[in-house]
Each structure stands twice: as structure tokens, then as C-alpha cells.
Amino acid sequence: MLFNDPVFASRMLTLLTLSFHIIYATVGVGIPLFIMIAQWIGIKKNDNHYILMARRWARGYIITVAVGVVTGTIIGLQLSLLWPNFMELAGNIIALPLFMEVFAFFFEAIFLGIYLYTGDRFKDQKKHFLLLIPVALGAGMSAFFITTVNGFMNAPQGFDIVDGTFVNANPVLAMFNLASPTKIAHVLATAYMTSAFILATIAAFKMLRGSKHSYHKKALHMTMKIGLIFAIAAALIGDFSGKYLAEYQPEKLAAAEWHFETEGGAPLLLYGVLDENQEPKYAIKIPYALSILAFGNPSSEVIGLNEFPEEEQPPLEVHYYFDTMVTIGMAMIAISFIYWFGTRMRYAFVESNWFRWLIVLGGPLSMLAIEAGWWLAEFGRQPWILRGIMTVSEAATTSNHVGLMFVLFATLYLILGIGTIVVLRKIFINNPVENELAKIQAKQGGEQS
């Protein structure tokens, strides 16, 4: 069995953990910004709908944060258990961003707790709003620090190697590696984009279920407009990421595009299959697009995958991860732009059920794009765990019990996933928007009298 191979089992368990954690991490980074925006709009417009929006989102957010803490802790544990040789070599360098990520989380969590439990104690809502600034900053800084670790694995620097040991370690220089700027920007933009479309999914679904409350219309309108902004930002940053890969990780770009021979004016391939001779078939070919993506020039030469030793070539299935990410990203730009334009022009179709179903699909599809992007990033670095220095097989544990750990953790993630859904449903079903608004209005009426 493949799970008897410790290297394969370690890779699959890490894949499982990261794929589950990234759901909560994405929401954890993105949702605080929307809580803050909703609170600010509510204060500026003196609109209880937006104030309630912020509080309800914060209430649900804290559940996802709790699960995210569990899975994030598991990742730290698995780094030591599954990849001990990597941690022995690089642990003293990546310890700083890992520690800073924990600090950023506690910074966020403290102010989130204060915000949640003091909502009715602030007469001046602007002061209450100020509590959300460190929450959003802490969430963003968590993403910043943990992404620098991934950047370091792709572009290791900040040390010297003497007799196979890292010496003269400079963790700060290691954090600000060449890969980090585009990675951090892309992680933040896609987290905000995905969170926007998840919240839009909830609002659209409630409207499809018959709700005509203006609360949901306002939530949908706000999140779709912001989602459009960040979807466009993610696409632009993705272009910078392509140029980074062309310059510093050309083998990853070549594998993602099934670009085997070095040539100028290289086309970009979407979809398709490979025949027995590794020739792409049935692919959509966009002339010169790969050269433009790589260097901004349609005649530029793009290095082919055949220039690299076979043992250093990433797996070719990363092509499908790239296609999935790009296709969904473009689709979400289209849907959110059509919504924005349609509402401005007062077209009736934006209120139709079929279009709202497209919006409902947008949240899950955006999360799928996040997953595909991370699979592209991680599989595309193969065979390296630390590019050019240590391979995955050299870093992995030799334990024969990883397969059993996979089963146990898969069970745990299933319980956590189901538990998250059950708890969130109970929180919001037991406290419908109408009831909460009635309580707020009654309280305000009592204060005025």
C-alpha cells in the first residue's frame, strides 16, 4: 500500500491538514475586514442593519476562529512530527515568523473578544468600531507572517550552509525573501475576495429562500461590490506572480502551462490532456499569452520544462490546478461585474432566481479556487521542501505509523467540519435577523422615552 511509504503518507497527511485548515484560515483573514466595513457603514449611515450585520458576522466568525486555532496548532505539530529533518535544518530560521503569527493571532483574539462582549456598553459606536481595527490588522498580520514561511521554502535566504548546517542565520532576512511580496499580496487579496463571495452566498441564499428583508439586500450589495474589487486585485497580483515564477521558478511555470520546449512567443494552454508522448491535446491555446504573462512581452522567450532534470520537474497535474484557479477567478470577476453593472442600470435580471443561484455558487467556487491555488503552490515546488537545498524525501519522517495518523486526523477534521456547520446553523436559526432588529429598535425606543 502507498500509505506504507512514510514519505507519501506524510505528504498526504500534510495535504489533508492544509486543505482543511485553509478554509478556516481564509475566512479568518478575510471576514474581519467585512465586519469592520459593515460597522463603519452602519455608523456613517446611522443604519442598524449594518451594525447588526457586523455583530452577526463576528458571532459566526469566532466559531471559525476556534476551529482554525485547532487546525493551525496541528500544522505546527505535524511540521515537527512529519518533517523532522526540515525542522532540524531550518527550524531556527522559521521560528521567528511562526512565533509572530501566534502573537498576531492573540492580538486579534483579544480585541475580538472585547468587541463581542461590549457591544451594548458603548454609547458612542465610533469607539466600539475602533476595537475592530486591531482585529482586522491582526488577521492580516497572521497571514503575512505565516506566508513568509511558505515564501522562504520557495526562495530560501538569510543563512550560510557549512557542512550541511545552517549558520549565520538571519530570520528577518529570511522572512523578507524574494517570494514573499507576491505571495503575501495574493493570499490577502484572495482571502478578502473569497470572504466577500461567501458572505454574498449567504445573503443570496436567504433571498432565494423567500426573505425580502432589506438587511440581506444590503449585505449582498456590499459584499458583491467589494468582492469585485478584490477579484480584480487578485487577477492583477496573479500576473505579478507569473512574472516572479518566470524569473525565479521557471520550472513551476513551465509545468503549470505544459510548456516543454523553450521558445519565444509562447502560447498559454488551458485545459486539455496529454497523450503518451506528452503532447497536449484538446487544449485551448491563447497565442503569445504565456510570454506576456511571464515577461510582459509577446515575443519573449519562455524556458521549457525539458531544460530541467527530470527528477527536478514538478508533477504535470499542477496544470489543472492552475486552470481551476484562473477559470474561477475570471468567472467571479464576470459575475460580480455583471451584478454591479446590472444594479446600476436597474436591470431586472439581477433580482432573478437564476442569477442569485450563480451568486450562491460563487462562495464555494471561490474556496475551491483557494484550494487549487495552494495545491499549485505546494505541488509545484516538488520535489523540494526547501527549494534547491532539501527534497521532500530527505525531510520526511521514517515512521511507519503515518498512515494510521492520516485516518485519525481525517476523522477529527470530519467531526470539526460537521460541528462547525451545526453550531453556525444553531446560532443563526435561533436568532433570526428580524428578532434581533426588533430587540435593537425596542431598546432604542426605550432609551429615547
Side-chain angles (χ1 to χ4, degrees), residues 42-54:
I43 293 169
K44 292 290 287 183
K45 293 186 175 183
N46 194 25
D47 190 327
N48 286 329
H49 290 168
Y50 288 100
I51 299 290
L52 179 60
M53 213 177 286

Side-chain angles (χ1 to χ4, degrees), residues 367-409:
M367 189 59 75
L368 177 60
I370 290 282
E371 296 281 9
W374 274 106
W375 297 338
L376 170 63
E378 296 303 296
F379 281 97
R381 195 179 61 247
Q382 299 299 311
W384 306 106
I385 192 169
L386 196 58
R387 186 175 182 268
I389 296 174
M390 176 179 280
T391 65
V392 169
S393 58
E394 292 171 339
T397 180
T398 57
S399 172
N400 293 320
H401 302 293
V402 181
L404 175 60
M405 289 176 61
F406 182 93
V407 174
L408 294 175
F409 278 108

Side-chain angles (χ1 to χ4, degrees), residues 98-134:
L98 290 175
F99 168 77
M100 293 302 293
E101 193 272 338
V102 173
F103 174 81
F105 165 74
F106 280 117
F107 182 70
E108 170 195 359
I110 288 168
F111 284 94
L112 176 62
I114 297 172
Y115 170 81
L116 281 169
Y117 290 104
T118 58
D120 297 327
R121 300 184 183 182
F122 281 85
K123 291 183 178 179
D124 185 353
Q125 283 297 312
K126 290 181 181 179
K127 293 180 180 179
H128 193 226
F129 165 80
L130 294 176
L131 293 170
L132 290 172
I133 296 176

Side-chain angles (χ1 to χ4, degrees), residues 239 243 253 257 265-270 284-299 302:
D239 179 71
K243 289 172 173 54
L253 181 65
E257 282 304 314
L268 187 146
L269 301 183
L270 292 173
I284 299 172
K285 184 180 292 188
I286 306 176
Y288 307 107
L290 182 56
S291 290
I292 295 172
L293 173 66
F295 299 105
N297 187 329
S299 61
V302 182

Side-chain angles (χ1 to χ4, degrees), residues 334-352:
I335 292 171
S336 53
F337 176 79
I338 291 169
Y339 175 86
W340 170 79
F341 186 75
T343 52
R344 284 185 65 87
M345 301 302 293
R346 300 185 183 278
Y347 290 143
F349 74 86
V350 295
E351 303 286 338
S352 64

